[in-house]
Amino acid sequence: MKTPVWIAELAGRYYVFGAGDAGKIKRIRATPRVQLAACDARGKVRSAWIEARARIVLEPALIAGVRKAFRRKYGLVMLLTDVMATMTGRMRRRAYIEIELADS
């Protein structure tokens, strides 16, 4: 299923996030196999698909580093997204996904 996501890199791995009960999180809990492709802001695919493996990140220290990576990449927009997620309670439910490219 094609799902546009924000993605950030940290130490050679890629990370995305979503609500803990979102479909993408449920699918990764079922199978670690994922495919990535670059897309525009509307989700139109702009590159070839790349095979990868994913896992749900549970380590608090890694999550903190991932959050910093997103803020470095997306700046004020990510900060505002985090503030709103905190205010609405969505931050507590947020899940982070680590993606390792198949050729890594």
Side-chain angles (χ1 to χ4, degrees):
M1 172 175 278
K2 295 178 188 177
T3 306
V5 294
W6 287 7
I7 190 165
E9 188 268 336
L10 178 66
R13 300 224 170 140
Y14 297 91
Y15 296 87
V16 300
F17 66 90
D21 59 354
K24 63 184 159 239
I25 306 298
K26 291 177 185 177
R27 286 188 293 278
I28 288 169
R29 285 189 176 116
T31 179
R33 184 180 171 272
V34 297
Q35 293 181 313
L36 297 177
C39 69
D40 63 19
R42 294 178 184 232
K44 183 175 180 184
V45 175
R46 301 282 187 191
S47 74
W49 292 94
I50 300 169
E51 295 290 327
R53 294 184 58 81
R55 74 174 185 97
I56 308 299
V57 177
L58 301 174
E59 304 89 330
L62 180 54
I63 290 170
V66 169
R67 289 180 65 194
K68 287 179 185 176
F70 273 100
R71 286 192 181 166
R72 274 192 304 275
K73 182 174 181 181
Y74 294 102
L76 183 59
V77 174
M78 189 72 224
L79 177 62
L80 293 174
T81 299
D82 284 350
V83 168
M84 292 303 295
T86 300
M87 290 173 55
T88 61
R90 290 178 306 185
M91 185 65 87
R92 288 189 307 271
R93 296 185 335 230
R94 189 179 281 178
Y96 293 88
I97 302 165
E98 179 181 84
I99 300 170
E100 182 176 10
L101 301 182
D103 62 354
S104 295

